[in-house]
Amino acid sequence: MGKISEKSIRSFIYKVCVVGDGGVGKTSMVLRYCENTFKDNYIMTIGSNFSTKQVELEEYPNYLVKLQLWDLAGQKHFSFVRPPFYRGGSGIIYTFDLTRRSSFQNILEWKEEVEKVIGNGKPSILVGNKIDLAEKGNREVGETDGESLKDEINAISYHEASARENINVESIFEELTLAILKNTQKL
Ligand code: GTP
């Protein structure tokens, strides 16, 4: 690859919202992606957490993308504080827990809550988290169910991941970033 001149560098900032039921692993996914760490203890998010991450895309080495990651409190009693945080969102990660079927069933409600604010044209990815636990025999959602829900909610892809074991986390955020770039810059 040739040297990239400073002039040809283009910078973008995109807001991504990570949503899903309480305890599915939203904070853990963001923490794994941004700081490559994991915490076993559960500290419930109150309102929202905000992190940033610079993304390097092999396909577009002259594009500097900074993601603003909003990880929103998933517990029901925080539903009244969430809508303003969706405003300006360029992409969504819908997350459920592969070992808790109710969190999978609630994804349709999450979609409705988000789209009330940002409309239905933004790229999204559906993620079944805690694959490490699912593989130990605790799986409550099959891969084909995930794929069907992905089609139903019009997400660009479905991935099974583990924030704990660092499975698929980085590639999910990169894939979404690429989709956002394509959506907004018409690449
Ligand atoms: P809220 O803040 O309530 O919305 O929850 P959250 O979706 O942000 O979940 P959080 O990341 O706080 O994780 C909840 C619990 O699940 C914590 O105890 C995490 O350690 C655990 N956890 C998260 N991801 C994984 C994973 O991939 N595998 C396993 N085994 N545990 C996980």
Side-chain angles (χ1 to χ4, degrees), residues 1-185:
M1 198 196 312
K3 207 167 168 232
I4 304 161
S5 84
E6 259 179 52
K7 270 190 191 157
S8 67
I9 300 253
R10 298 185 63 196
S11 305
F12 303 90
I13 296 179
Y14 294 120
K15 175 174 178 177
V16 166
C17 301
V18 184
V19 301
D21 279 8
V24 298
K26 301 177 296 295
T27 302
S28 301
M29 297 239 316
V30 172
L31 198 64
R32 172 60 78 193
Y33 182 50
C34 294
E35 293 174 29
N36 200 14
T37 53
F38 178 78
K39 292 179 181 152
D40 266 308
N41 57 327
Y42 173 40
I43 302 167
M44 184 176 67
T45 300
I46 297 179
S48 67
N49 291 319
F50 170 74
S51 314
T52 59
K53 171 92 176 174
Q54 190 98 13
V55 192
E56 280 161 30
L57 296 163
E58 251 176 56
E59 294 91 328
Y60 301 102
N62 57 330
Y63 281 27
L64 274 187
V65 181
K66 191 181 234 180
L67 289 187
Q68 295 183 337
L69 296 165
W70 289 85
D71 149 34
L72 299 157
Q75 303 284 350
K76 264 238 145 46
H77 48 270
F78 289 117
S79 60
F80 71 101
V81 298
R82 287 191 299 259
F85 289 103
Y86 301 139
R87 224 168 279 145
S90 297
I92 306 292
I93 295 189
Y94 291 106
T95 313
F96 68 90
D97 176 347
L98 287 164
T99 69
R100 192 166 15 121
R101 189 149 186 100
S102 59
S103 69
F104 168 78
Q105 289 161 333
N106 287 337
I107 292 291
L108 289 173
E109 278 180 39
W110 281 103
K111 179 178 161 72
E112 207 184 312
E113 183 179 297
V114 170
E115 291 189 347
K116 257 189 207 156
V117 181
I118 64 167
N120 64 4
K122 303 290 192 302
S124 65
I125 290 184
L126 177 64
V127 177
N129 187 38
K130 307 195 187 180
I131 178 103
D132 57 301
L133 287 184
E135 279 173 351
K136 286 180 186 147
N138 301 321
R139 185 186 274 271
E140 288 190 5
V141 181
E143 205 172 339
T144 49
D145 292 346
E147 289 290 344
S148 310
L149 182 60
K150 171 212 100 184
D151 292 337
E152 196 179 337
I153 66 170
N154 248 324
I156 53 176
S157 60
Y158 168 62
H159 295 288
E160 298 190 335
S162 169
R164 186 173 209 282
E165 303 299 326
N166 197 10
I167 300 171
N168 279 342
V169 177
E170 190 173 9
S171 57
I172 287 166
F173 285 101
E174 284 182 7
E175 184 183 345
L176 186 63
T177 307
L178 207 52
I180 295 171
L181 260 183
K182 286 183 174 161
N183 192 41
T184 55
Q185 304 305 312

